[in-house]
Amino acid sequence: MAKFNKEGKAISGTPAEGFLCNARDQTAFASKEEVYMALRELHMELFAEEYSFMMDSNADLKIRSLNESPLSEDYLNLVNKRRANLGVSQYDGVDSGICDDTWQFCCDKLGL
């Protein structure tokens, strides 16, 4: 069994006729849903603050309806510092939904 594992690892790195080894080449064969899901997962991982509204309590909804952020100032400062380093817009904590520039940032990172 150990011999099989060693040979399997050696074979997996070599190109075979009719198969692509490059990850960029593999995206050409991915369906639109797979590309969208990969993009969505990356966006959710990098910009989780844009999904915070999904966990709002009734009190948080009321605060957001008054154009105020239910998020702490410390959290917003930390998030905005990270976003500034990535070169995307600041997050105010009031708007619910995805920012266009963060979505484009993820598209660029995936090469779309």
Side-chain angles (χ1 to χ4, degrees):
M1 190 63 157
K3 183 178 180 181
F4 176 76
N5 288 339
K6 287 180 186 176
E7 290 175 358
K9 288 180 184 175
I11 292 173
S12 66
T14 59
E17 188 174 326
F19 293 97
L20 302 171
C21 291
N22 187 327
R24 184 176 289 278
D25 294 338
Q26 294 292 339
T27 59
F29 296 104
S31 69
K32 288 182 181 180
E33 289 115 15
E34 291 171 332
V35 171
Y36 175 78
M37 290 307 295
L39 183 59
R40 183 65 145 193
E41 286 178 24
L42 178 64
H43 191 270
M44 288 174 74
E45 186 176 325
L46 292 177
F47 304 106
E49 65 274 5
E50 293 184 14
Y51 298 90
S52 65
F53 73 94
M54 293 180 177
M55 302 301 283
D56 279 355
S57 64
N58 288 335
D60 292 341
L61 286 172
K62 189 176 243 184
I63 292 171
R64 283 190 203 264
S65 69
L66 299 172
N67 281 336
E68 296 176 16
S69 174
L71 306 172
S72 72
E73 286 297 319
D74 291 338
Y75 177 72
L76 286 174
N77 290 336
L78 181 68
V79 164
N80 286 328
K81 183 178 179 182
R82 182 179 48 82
R83 289 171 71 101
N85 289 337
L86 293 175
V88 296
S89 65
Q90 299 292 308
Y91 183 67
D92 61 4
V94 176
D95 297 326
S96 58
I98 297 171
C99 298
D100 291 335
D101 62 337
T102 59
W103 189 259
Q104 187 59 47
F105 178 85
C106 292
C107 287
D108 294 343
K109 286 295 175 187
L110 292 178
L112 301 174

